[in-house]
């Protein structure tokens, strides 16, 4: 039976889960995959943590050089996260001809060109299933399950922390700050939550997934990004009243104008499959020209779900002699002829505070008409001298909405409190 040795760099949550799966299921993989995968060593400075997980003392390394020069290590699993040390260690492993499996979305998103170049030069593998949507096998689905298709669009809830926060706000009517505190207490959100709540994590993943889906480099810098820190209880309550729930959506679309890539809070019509994705669950909803619509759903984070994706890559690398690299033109920047339009088409929700006087709505309606914006539905609620008008538009252009909003804000009698994009 083929023998394959693995080194795990970092025994944090995901590294620990990976170690547990590989050791617990070793015999199972011998039987089902006809390969004997052993963990040869781990790189972990916190020896106590490694010992607690059951790693034998002699397999705990504190120096990357000890890992790289171990001839029994064929595959290096990088689960350290961040850029600096991870990039250095991954390049060192690839340059030594070791195959690398990584869960590091930021590293792969920003440096895939450099890593893939090193891998190809040494005829080493480079696998990254765990970098996007944890245990949900979205990358293998794009590469091996849906490769017959032109993917035309992709919409995903690809960050569990923000989905947890938005679900809590919706179910319990609590504020963003209260929901964030709960997410932190439960270990979903970091003490510094910026990467999740400002949409960076989702944007890294969208850059990787849309590069694969559309077979061209989609750099992180081209991803439009808005986080959830401005989401209020009022927005969520308005959405409920109008039949929508709020999700941080990552959207990738191939249109005649180019590739749209954006991450932003979005109202999703109740009844859409993505509206039912709650708590810390993730889902990706894809449309292909042959298959039509496909949705994958599951856990996007956590020790065992993300470990599942890593071990899947380890088994793939261990059982395929032909190395598979990414399917897009892997360069630092976008290819010259690919366009990323900043204007796009969407439906919108607006909440406008108005003075409750005759003629105010007529002024707003005139501005909508000027920018060719058509209204689907509208609610008005009085609050003494002022009123709140909430409305949903038909599909229109982002630039038209921005222009209309700035003109409404210039009126003395109205100001726009919130604008959200809407998926019906
Ligand atoms: N922090 C991410 C999330 C998981 O909340 O989904 C890792 O990307």
């Amino acid at each position: 039976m083929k023998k394959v040795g693995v080194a795990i760099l970092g025994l944090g949550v995901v590294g620990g889960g990976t170690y547990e799966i590989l050791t617990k299921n070793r015999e199972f993989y011998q039987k089902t995959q006809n390969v004997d995968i052993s963990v040869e060593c781990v790189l972990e400075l916190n020896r106590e943590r490694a010992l607690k997980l059951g790693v034998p003392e002699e397999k705990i390394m504190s120096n990357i050089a000890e890992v790289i020069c171990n001839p029994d290590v064929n595959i290096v699993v990088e689960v350290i996260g961040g850029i600096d040390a991870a990039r250095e260690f991954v390049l060192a492993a690839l340059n030594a001809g070791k195959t690398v499996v990584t869960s590091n979305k930021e590293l792969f998103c920003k440096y895939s060109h450099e890593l893939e170049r090193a891998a190809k030069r040494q005829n080493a593998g480079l696998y990254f299933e765990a970098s996007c949507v944890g245990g949900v096998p979205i990358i293998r689905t794009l590469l091996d399950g849906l490769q017959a298709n032109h993917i035309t669009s992709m919409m995903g809830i690809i960050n569990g922390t923000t989905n947890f926060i938005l679900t809590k706000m919706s179910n319990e009517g609590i504020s963003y700050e209260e929901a964030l505190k709960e997410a932190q207490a439960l270990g979903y959100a970091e003490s510094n939550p910026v990467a999740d709540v400002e949409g960076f994590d989702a944007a890294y993943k969208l850059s990787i997934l849309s590069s694969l889906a559309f077979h061209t480099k989609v750099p992180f810098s081209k991803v439009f990004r808005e986080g959830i820190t401005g989401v209020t209880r009022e927005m969520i309550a308005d959405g409920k009243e109008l039949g929508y729930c709020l999700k941080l959506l990552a959207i990738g679309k191939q249109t005649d104008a180019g590739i749209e890539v954006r991450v932003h809070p979005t109202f999703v019509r109740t009844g859409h499959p993505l509206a039912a994705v709650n708590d810390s669950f993730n889902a990706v909803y894809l449309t292909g020209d042959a298959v039509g619509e496909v949705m994958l759903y599951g856990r996007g984070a956590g020790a065992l779900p993300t470990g599942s994706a890593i071990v899947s890559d380890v088994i793939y690398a261990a059982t395929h002699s032909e190395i598979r690299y990414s399917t897009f033109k892997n360069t630092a920047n976008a290819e010259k002829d690919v366009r990323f339009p900043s204007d796009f088409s969407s439906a919108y929700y607006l909440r406008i505070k108005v003075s409750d006087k005759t003629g105010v709505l007529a002024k707003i309606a005139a501005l909508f008409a000027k920018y060719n914006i058509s209204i689907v539905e509208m609610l008005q609620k009085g609050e003494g001298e002022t009123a709140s008008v909430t409305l949903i538009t038909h599909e229109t252009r982002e630039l038209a909405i921005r222009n209309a909003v700035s003109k409404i804000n210039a009126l003395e009698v109205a100001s726009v409190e919130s604008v959200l994009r809407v998926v019906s």
Side-chain angles (χ1 to χ4, degrees):
M1 184 179 301
K2 185 176 179 188
K3 282 183 171 305
V4 171
V6 171
I8 304 175
L9 311 185
L11 279 191
V13 173
V14 176
T18 303
Y19 182 79
E20 183 185 331
I21 299 170
L22 280 173
T23 46
K24 184 167 80 88
N25 289 350
R26 183 169 173 178
E27 276 181 34
F28 176 63
Y29 304 143
Q30 290 170 358
K31 283 193 205 127
T32 58
Q33 308 294 326
N34 198 28
V35 64
D36 180 27
I37 302 172
S38 60
V39 179
E40 288 298 317
C41 61
V42 302
L43 179 70
E44 176 55 60
L45 297 180
N46 184 338
R47 296 181 79 79
E48 284 309 307
R49 180 188 287 166
L51 290 169
K52 236 184 183 166
L53 282 164
V55 183
E57 180 106 48
E58 68 281 7
K59 291 193 173 187
I60 308 171
M61 308 293 137
S62 52
N63 187 323
I64 186 68
E66 296 171 288
V67 176
I68 301 300
C69 69
N70 183 337
D72 296 327
V73 170
N74 310 101
I75 299 176
V76 172
V77 171
E78 183 276 308
V79 275
I80 303 169
I83 294 283
D84 298 339
R87 181 177 172 203
E88 180 194 329
F89 294 174
V90 165
L91 281 172
L94 292 169
N95 286 333
K98 316 270 186 205
T99 280
V100 166
V101 171
T102 179
S103 63
N104 195 327
K105 61 213 65 96
E106 185 180 358
L107 179 70
F108 196 79
C109 165
K110 293 183 177 166
Y111 295 101
S112 63
H113 56 289
E114 183 185 57
L115 307 182
E116 193 169 290
R117 206 179 309 132
K120 283 182 171 164
R121 204 168 43 228
Q122 296 298 331
N123 200 30
L126 177 62
Y127 297 93
F128 50 98
E129 177 67 66
S131 66
C132 295
V133 208
V136 177
I138 177 66
I139 290 178
R140 186 132 318 113
T141 299
L142 285 168
L143 294 177
D144 286 337
L146 294 179
Q147 72 274 55
N149 290 261
H150 286 102
I151 302 293
T152 49
S153 91
M154 176 162 59
M155 286 198 289
I157 295 170
I158 58 177
N159 180 271
T161 304
T162 46
N163 205 35
F164 176 85
I165 292 171
L166 294 174
T167 305
K168 274 263 151 194
M169 288 180 73
S170 174
N171 289 351
E172 297 173 22
I174 58 177
S175 68
Y176 164 75
E177 287 76 17
E178 288 167 307
L180 171 62
K181 266 195 199 130
E182 274 209 46
Q184 285 171 321
L186 289 168
Y188 291 124
E190 312 271 340
S191 51
N192 176 355
V194 167
D196 290 318
V197 299
E198 293 291 4
F200 288 99
D201 176 82
Y204 295 141
K205 293 169 184 167
L206 181 61
S207 152
I208 297 171
L209 293 177
S210 49
S211 296
L212 290 167
F214 306 132
H215 302 282
T216 190
K217 174 76 175 183
V218 178
F220 173 70
S221 59
K222 301 291 181 193
V223 180
F224 173 88
R225 178 185 53 77
E226 253 177 43
I228 63 161
T229 52
V231 172
T232 62
R233 276 189 270 227
E234 289 74 26
M235 289 178 188
I236 293 195
D238 282 349
K240 277 188 177 173
E241 203 163 341
L242 293 161
Y244 295 92
C245 54
L246 192 59
K247 301 289 177 194
L248 182 70
L249 280 199
I251 298 174
K253 278 189 190 168
Q254 179 95 67
T255 70
D256 291 343
I259 294 174
E260 275 176 31
V261 266
R262 43 198 171 96
V263 170
H264 48 65
T266 311
F267 271 142
V268 180
R269 174 65 94 182
T270 315
H272 189 288
L274 286 171
V277 178
N278 287 317
D279 301 313
S280 63
F281 278 93
N282 284 202
V284 183
Y285 184 88
L286 297 153
T287 309
D289 61 348
V291 72
E293 289 158 349
V294 171
M295 184 158 117
L296 283 86
Y297 168 90
R299 290 255 173 233
L304 296 179
T306 310
S308 161
I310 287 172
V311 175
S312 160
D313 272 351
V314 168
I315 293 173
Y316 188 96
T319 54
H320 287 74
S321 49
E322 184 139 329
I323 293 165
R324 165 163 240 173
Y325 298 106
S326 55
T327 59
F328 51 94
K329 181 112 184 262
N330 205 345
T331 55
N333 299 306
E335 293 171 78
K336 279 203 183 66
D337 55 339
V338 179
R339 282 167 301 151
F340 296 92
S342 56
D343 192 17
F344 52 83
S345 170
S346 175
Y348 289 82
Y349 148 92
L350 279 86
R351 169 185 260 263
I352 309 171
K353 196 163 195 142
V354 296
S355 302
D356 202 356
K357 288 187 192 148
T358 312
V360 173
L361 276 187
K363 284 186 182 160
I364 293 172
L367 284 171
F368 280 147
K370 177 173 174 190
Y371 291 104
N372 205 18
I373 298 166
S374 163
I375 294 168
V376 179
E377 54 187 315
M378 194 163 98
L379 286 173
Q380 178 174 331
K381 284 184 191 158
E383 293 160 9
E385 307 232 311
T386 60
S388 263
V389 174
T390 54
L391 56 90
I392 303 283
T393 73
H394 280 288
E395 286 246 333
T396 185
R397 308 297 305 174
E398 171 87 7
L399 283 182
I401 286 288
R402 288 191 194 182
N403 284 330
V405 165
S406 88
K407 287 283 184 328
I408 293 170
N409 283 336
L411 299 173
E412 270 179 22
V413 286
S415 69
V416 178
E417 290 183 324
S418 336
V419 181
L420 291 168
R421 294 146 195 108
V422 175
V423 169
S424 297

